Tab-separated table of all heavy atoms in Angstrom:
chain	number	residue	atom	x	y	z
A	38	ARG	N	7.257	15.808	-19.882
A	38	ARG	CA	7.370	17.188	-19.401
A	38	ARG	C	6.010	17.684	-18.863
A	38	ARG	O	5.937	18.289	-17.827
A	38	ARG	CB	7.788	18.073	-20.602
A	38	ARG	CG	7.913	19.555	-20.213
A	38	ARG	CD	8.469	20.348	-21.373
A	38	ARG	NE	8.569	21.752	-21.073
A	38	ARG	CZ	9.044	22.723	-21.867
A	38	ARG	NH1	9.491	22.312	-23.040
A	38	ARG	NH2	9.027	23.966	-21.542
A	41	LYS	N	5.446	16.149	-15.396
A	41	LYS	CA	6.279	16.723	-14.306
A	41	LYS	C	5.798	18.078	-13.906
A	41	LYS	O	5.852	18.461	-12.733
A	41	LYS	CB	7.755	16.691	-14.695
A	41	LYS	CG	8.685	17.083	-13.560
A	41	LYS	CD	10.114	16.903	-13.850
A	41	LYS	CE	11.011	17.387	-12.713
A	41	LYS	NZ	12.443	17.222	-12.988
A	42	THR	N	5.395	18.921	-14.891
A	42	THR	CA	4.898	20.247	-14.528
A	42	THR	C	3.722	20.218	-13.550
A	42	THR	O	3.494	21.188	-12.838
A	42	THR	CB	4.444	21.050	-15.749
A	42	THR	OG1	3.352	20.444	-16.442
A	42	THR	CG2	5.586	21.303	-16.733
A	64	ARG	N	12.381	16.717	-26.259
A	64	ARG	CA	11.077	17.340	-25.939
A	64	ARG	C	10.748	17.229	-24.442
A	64	ARG	O	9.933	17.934	-23.941
A	64	ARG	CB	9.917	16.650	-26.720
A	64	ARG	CG	10.032	16.848	-28.286
A	64	ARG	CD	9.424	18.218	-28.711
A	64	ARG	NE	8.037	18.314	-28.342
A	64	ARG	CZ	7.048	17.761	-29.040
A	64	ARG	NH1	7.264	17.132	-30.146
A	64	ARG	NH2	5.782	17.941	-28.636
A	67	GLY	N	13.309	19.572	-19.123
A	67	GLY	CA	13.807	19.287	-17.768
A	67	GLY	C	13.177	18.103	-17.098
A	67	GLY	O	13.330	17.937	-15.854
A	109	ARG	N	-12.349	16.638	-15.975
A	109	ARG	CA	-12.453	17.212	-14.631
A	109	ARG	C	-13.083	16.221	-13.704
A	109	ARG	O	-12.630	16.038	-12.544
A	109	ARG	CB	-13.256	18.536	-14.683
A	109	ARG	CG	-13.208	19.348	-13.452
A	109	ARG	CD	-13.634	20.775	-13.657
A	109	ARG	NE	-12.672	21.489	-14.521
A	109	ARG	CZ	-12.839	22.734	-15.022
A	109	ARG	NH1	-13.983	23.364	-14.758
A	109	ARG	NH2	-11.918	23.282	-15.796
A	150	PRO	N	-13.461	17.766	-23.066
A	150	PRO	CA	-14.477	18.541	-23.828
A	150	PRO	C	-13.779	19.398	-24.902
A	150	PRO	O	-12.821	20.084	-24.642
A	150	PRO	CB	-15.174	19.389	-22.767
A	150	PRO	CG	-14.929	18.648	-21.474
A	150	PRO	CD	-13.562	18.035	-21.651
A	151	ALA	N	-14.210	19.221	-26.165
A	151	ALA	CA	-13.496	19.882	-27.262
A	151	ALA	C	-14.436	20.295	-28.358
A	151	ALA	O	-15.642	20.024	-28.323
A	151	ALA	CB	-12.406	18.959	-27.800
A	152	ASN	N	-13.852	21.029	-29.312
A	152	ASN	CA	-14.535	21.466	-30.514
A	152	ASN	C	-15.068	20.229	-31.266
A	152	ASN	O	-14.245	19.427	-31.724
A	152	ASN	CB	-13.552	22.252	-31.354
A	152	ASN	CG	-14.031	22.698	-32.683
A	152	ASN	OD1	-15.233	22.484	-33.045
A	152	ASN	ND2	-13.165	23.396	-33.430
A	155	PHE	N	-13.396	19.573	-34.512
A	155	PHE	CA	-11.908	19.283	-34.521
A	155	PHE	C	-11.468	18.951	-33.130
A	155	PHE	O	-10.998	19.826	-32.370
A	155	PHE	CB	-11.141	20.507	-35.108
A	155	PHE	CG	-9.628	20.239	-35.222
A	155	PHE	CD1	-9.144	19.336	-36.223
A	155	PHE	CD2	-8.751	20.797	-34.363
A	155	PHE	CE1	-7.795	19.119	-36.334
A	155	PHE	CE2	-7.382	20.568	-34.448
A	155	PHE	CZ	-6.917	19.731	-35.454
A	157	SER	N	-9.202	16.702	-32.314
A	157	SER	CA	-8.001	15.911	-32.391
A	157	SER	C	-6.850	16.545	-31.608
A	157	SER	O	-5.963	17.203	-32.150
A	157	SER	CB	-7.562	15.772	-33.841
A	157	SER	OG	-6.238	15.321	-33.985
A	158	LEU	N	-6.875	16.323	-30.278
A	158	LEU	CA	-5.750	16.825	-29.450
A	158	LEU	C	-4.516	16.032	-29.686
A	158	LEU	O	-4.528	14.783	-29.838
A	158	LEU	CB	-6.109	16.727	-27.977
A	158	LEU	CG	-6.855	17.885	-27.348
A	158	LEU	CD1	-8.333	17.730	-27.577
A	158	LEU	CD2	-6.524	17.990	-25.853
A	159	ASN	N	-3.413	16.680	-29.711
A	159	ASN	CA	-2.097	16.001	-29.649
A	159	ASN	C	-2.029	15.166	-28.390
A	159	ASN	O	-2.596	15.526	-27.347
A	159	ASN	CB	-0.979	17.067	-29.701
A	159	ASN	CG	0.341	16.472	-29.305
A	159	ASN	OD1	0.781	16.542	-28.149
A	159	ASN	ND2	1.046	15.868	-30.258
A	162	ALA	N	-0.662	16.942	-25.469
A	162	ALA	CA	-1.579	17.961	-25.028
A	162	ALA	C	-2.747	17.368	-24.243
A	162	ALA	O	-3.125	17.997	-23.216
A	162	ALA	CB	-2.115	18.690	-26.263
A	165	GLN	N	-1.302	16.698	-20.910
A	165	GLN	CA	-1.180	17.963	-20.141
A	165	GLN	C	-2.540	18.342	-19.472
A	165	GLN	O	-2.550	18.771	-18.322
A	165	GLN	CB	-0.732	19.067	-21.063
A	165	GLN	CG	-0.505	20.422	-20.397
A	165	GLN	CD	0.777	20.396	-19.588
A	165	GLN	OE1	1.905	20.362	-20.074
A	165	GLN	NE2	0.622	20.437	-18.236
A	169	TYR	N	-3.127	18.482	-15.564
A	169	TYR	CA	-3.514	19.758	-14.976
A	169	TYR	C	-4.771	19.589	-14.137
A	169	TYR	O	-4.831	20.111	-12.991
A	169	TYR	CB	-3.768	20.763	-16.127
A	169	TYR	CG	-4.514	22.004	-15.806
A	169	TYR	CD1	-3.928	22.997	-14.993
A	169	TYR	CD2	-5.847	22.151	-16.211
A	169	TYR	CE1	-4.613	24.151	-14.732
A	169	TYR	CE2	-6.501	23.328	-15.933
A	169	TYR	CZ	-5.921	24.344	-15.168
A	169	TYR	OH	-6.641	25.467	-14.862
A	170	GLU	N	-5.731	18.854	-14.637
A	170	GLU	CA	-7.007	18.695	-13.866
A	170	GLU	C	-6.711	17.882	-12.579
A	170	GLU	O	-7.358	18.128	-11.571
A	170	GLU	CB	-8.057	17.980	-14.729
A	170	GLU	CG	-8.748	18.953	-15.731
A	170	GLU	CD	-9.652	19.949	-15.103
A	170	GLU	OE1	-9.661	20.113	-13.840
A	170	GLU	OE2	-10.376	20.637	-15.857
A	172	ARG	N	-3.925	18.000	-10.825
A	172	ARG	CA	-3.344	18.941	-9.905
A	172	ARG	C	-4.384	19.939	-9.318
A	172	ARG	O	-4.401	20.260	-8.178
A	172	ARG	CB	-2.206	19.754	-10.574
A	172	ARG	CG	-1.457	20.616	-9.659
A	172	ARG	CD	-0.151	21.144	-10.152
A	172	ARG	NE	0.615	21.685	-9.010
A	172	ARG	CZ	1.365	20.908	-8.235
A	172	ARG	NH1	1.595	19.638	-8.545
A	172	ARG	NH2	1.971	21.418	-7.186
B	39	ARG	N	-2.935	24.104	-33.341
B	39	ARG	CA	-3.740	22.898	-33.133
B	39	ARG	C	-4.476	22.946	-31.751
B	39	ARG	O	-5.660	22.646	-31.685
B	39	ARG	CB	-2.832	21.649	-33.234
B	39	ARG	CG	-3.581	20.368	-32.995
B	39	ARG	CD	-2.672	19.194	-33.232
B	39	ARG	NE	-3.359	17.917	-32.966
B	39	ARG	CZ	-2.771	16.715	-33.133
B	39	ARG	NH1	-1.497	16.628	-33.539
B	39	ARG	NH2	-3.459	15.652	-32.899
B	42	LYS	N	-7.464	25.349	-32.000
B	42	LYS	CA	-8.624	24.891	-32.810
B	42	LYS	C	-9.401	23.800	-32.089
B	42	LYS	O	-10.598	23.724	-32.140
B	42	LYS	CB	-8.129	24.365	-34.168
B	42	LYS	CG	-9.313	24.046	-35.136
B	42	LYS	CD	-8.884	23.780	-36.566
B	42	LYS	CE	-10.053	23.430	-37.451
B	42	LYS	NZ	-9.657	23.105	-38.790
B	43	THR	N	-8.647	22.959	-31.347
B	43	THR	CA	-9.381	21.877	-30.597
B	43	THR	C	-10.375	22.500	-29.610
B	43	THR	O	-11.358	21.849	-29.198
B	43	THR	CB	-8.428	20.942	-29.837
B	43	THR	OG1	-7.710	21.710	-28.887
B	43	THR	CG2	-7.509	20.165	-30.737
B	44	MET	N	-10.134	23.695	-29.174
B	44	MET	CA	-11.007	24.344	-28.195
B	44	MET	C	-11.860	25.457	-28.780
B	44	MET	O	-12.590	26.089	-28.101
B	44	MET	CB	-10.117	24.895	-27.032
B	44	MET	CG	-9.356	23.822	-26.307
B	44	MET	SD	-10.496	22.657	-25.429
B	44	MET	CE	-9.616	21.094	-25.705
B	65	ARG	N	3.182	20.280	-37.283
B	65	ARG	CA	2.689	20.215	-35.915
B	65	ARG	C	1.215	20.731	-35.796
B	65	ARG	O	0.517	20.383	-34.862
B	65	ARG	CB	3.588	20.969	-34.900
B	65	ARG	CG	4.995	20.354	-34.757
B	65	ARG	CD	5.003	19.143	-33.748
B	65	ARG	NE	4.597	19.481	-32.464
B	65	ARG	CZ	5.286	20.118	-31.555
B	65	ARG	NH1	6.616	20.358	-31.839
B	65	ARG	NH2	4.830	20.421	-30.318
B	68	GLY	N	-4.323	19.166	-38.386
B	68	GLY	CA	-5.542	19.593	-39.053
B	68	GLY	C	-5.933	21.061	-38.787
B	68	GLY	O	-7.031	21.472	-39.092
B	110	ARG	N	-7.908	29.499	-14.736
B	110	ARG	CA	-9.351	29.347	-14.629
B	110	ARG	C	-10.043	30.702	-14.355
B	110	ARG	O	-11.075	30.951	-15.007
B	110	ARG	CB	-9.715	28.311	-13.534
B	110	ARG	CG	-11.138	27.837	-13.536
B	110	ARG	CD	-11.272	26.537	-12.764
B	110	ARG	NE	-10.623	25.388	-13.398
B	110	ARG	CZ	-10.490	24.161	-12.851
B	110	ARG	NH1	-10.989	23.964	-11.633
B	110	ARG	NH2	-9.898	23.232	-13.501
B	152	ALA	N	1.073	25.108	-11.059
B	152	ALA	CA	2.033	24.036	-11.473
B	152	ALA	C	2.876	23.617	-10.372
B	152	ALA	O	2.914	24.225	-9.238
B	152	ALA	CB	2.840	24.504	-12.708
B	153	ASN	N	3.656	22.567	-10.569
B	153	ASN	CA	4.667	22.028	-9.702
B	153	ASN	C	5.725	23.146	-9.385
B	153	ASN	O	6.391	23.582	-10.338
B	153	ASN	CB	5.318	20.804	-10.372
B	153	ASN	CG	6.448	20.223	-9.605
B	153	ASN	OD1	6.821	20.699	-8.537
B	153	ASN	ND2	7.068	19.151	-10.183
B	156	PHE	N	9.112	22.486	-10.827
B	156	PHE	CA	9.292	22.363	-12.267
B	156	PHE	C	7.986	22.933	-12.973
B	156	PHE	O	7.052	22.170	-13.239
B	156	PHE	CB	9.496	20.918	-12.674
B	156	PHE	CG	9.769	20.744	-14.191
B	156	PHE	CD1	11.002	21.183	-14.690
B	156	PHE	CD2	8.842	20.182	-15.013
B	156	PHE	CE1	11.225	21.003	-16.053
B	156	PHE	CE2	9.080	19.999	-16.383
B	156	PHE	CZ	10.317	20.429	-16.895
B	158	SER	N	7.923	24.617	-15.782
B	158	SER	CA	8.275	25.011	-17.132
B	158	SER	C	7.408	24.349	-18.168
B	158	SER	O	7.805	23.325	-18.801
B	158	SER	CB	9.725	24.681	-17.364
B	158	SER	OG	10.090	24.765	-18.702
B	159	LEU	N	6.199	24.823	-18.364
B	159	LEU	CA	5.325	24.288	-19.392
B	159	LEU	C	5.849	24.637	-20.751
B	159	LEU	O	6.344	25.764	-20.985
B	159	LEU	CB	3.905	24.844	-19.270
B	159	LEU	CG	2.945	24.159	-18.358
B	159	LEU	CD1	3.107	24.612	-16.927
B	159	LEU	CD2	1.524	24.349	-18.851
B	160	ASN	N	5.758	23.717	-21.671
B	160	ASN	CA	5.980	24.018	-23.097
B	160	ASN	C	4.951	25.113	-23.524
B	160	ASN	O	3.835	25.181	-23.007
B	160	ASN	CB	5.770	22.791	-23.904
B	160	ASN	CG	5.625	23.024	-25.412
B	160	ASN	OD1	4.508	23.133	-25.893
B	160	ASN	ND2	6.742	23.198	-26.090
B	163	ALA	N	1.732	23.766	-24.793
B	163	ALA	CA	0.964	23.174	-23.695
B	163	ALA	C	0.260	24.228	-22.845
B	163	ALA	O	-0.831	24.045	-22.403
B	163	ALA	CB	1.917	22.335	-22.831
B	166	GLN	N	-2.650	25.325	-24.725
B	166	GLN	CA	-3.697	24.285	-24.624
B	166	GLN	C	-4.489	24.427	-23.347
B	166	GLN	O	-5.704	24.400	-23.322
B	166	GLN	CB	-3.045	22.915	-24.690
B	166	GLN	CG	-4.057	21.798	-24.680
B	166	GLN	CD	-4.751	21.637	-26.015
B	166	GLN	OE1	-4.248	21.274	-27.021
B	166	GLN	NE2	-6.070	21.967	-26.025
B	170	TYR	N	-8.348	25.462	-23.191
B	170	TYR	CA	-9.267	24.524	-22.553
B	170	TYR	C	-10.096	25.212	-21.493
B	170	TYR	O	-11.341	25.018	-21.412
B	170	TYR	CB	-8.427	23.363	-21.919
B	170	TYR	CG	-9.135	22.473	-20.940
B	170	TYR	CD1	-10.090	21.559	-21.372
B	170	TYR	CD2	-8.871	22.561	-19.605
B	170	TYR	CE1	-10.705	20.685	-20.453
B	170	TYR	CE2	-9.456	21.736	-18.695
B	170	TYR	CZ	-10.421	20.823	-19.109
B	170	TYR	OH	-11.021	20.018	-18.178
B	171	GLU	N	-9.472	25.999	-20.667
B	171	GLU	CA	-10.214	26.673	-19.594
B	171	GLU	C	-11.233	27.673	-20.186
B	171	GLU	O	-12.321	27.868	-19.666
B	171	GLU	CB	-9.284	27.449	-18.641
B	171	GLU	CG	-8.547	26.461	-17.660
B	171	GLU	CD	-9.487	25.929	-16.569
B	171	GLU	OE1	-10.765	26.041	-16.695
B	171	GLU	OE2	-8.979	25.311	-15.602
B	173	ARG	N	-12.791	27.200	-23.049
B	173	ARG	CA	-13.907	26.386	-23.514
B	173	ARG	C	-14.783	25.905	-22.358
B	173	ARG	O	-15.971	25.896	-22.411
B	173	ARG	CB	-13.404	25.244	-24.388
B	173	ARG	CG	-14.544	24.433	-24.959
B	173	ARG	CD	-14.125	23.488	-26.028
B	173	ARG	NE	-15.316	23.088	-26.829
B	173	ARG	CZ	-15.776	23.720	-27.841
B	173	ARG	NH1	-15.153	24.813	-28.291
B	173	ARG	NH2	-16.878	23.359	-28.392
Side-chain angles (χ1 to χ4, degrees):
Chain A
R38 179 174 177 179
K41 188 172 177 181
T42 60
R64 294 279 299 281
R109 190 163 294 172
N152 175 2
F155 183 73
S157 166
L158 273 85
N159 165 265
Q165 183 73 69
Y169 164 73
E170 284 289 11
R172 187 165 194 87
Chain B
R39 180 174 178 179
K42 188 171 178 182
T43 60
M44 297 297 141
R65 294 278 300 281
R110 191 162 292 174
N153 175 0
F156 184 72
S158 167
L159 273 85
N160 166 264
Q166 184 74 69
Y170 165 74
E171 284 288 12
R173 188 166 195 88

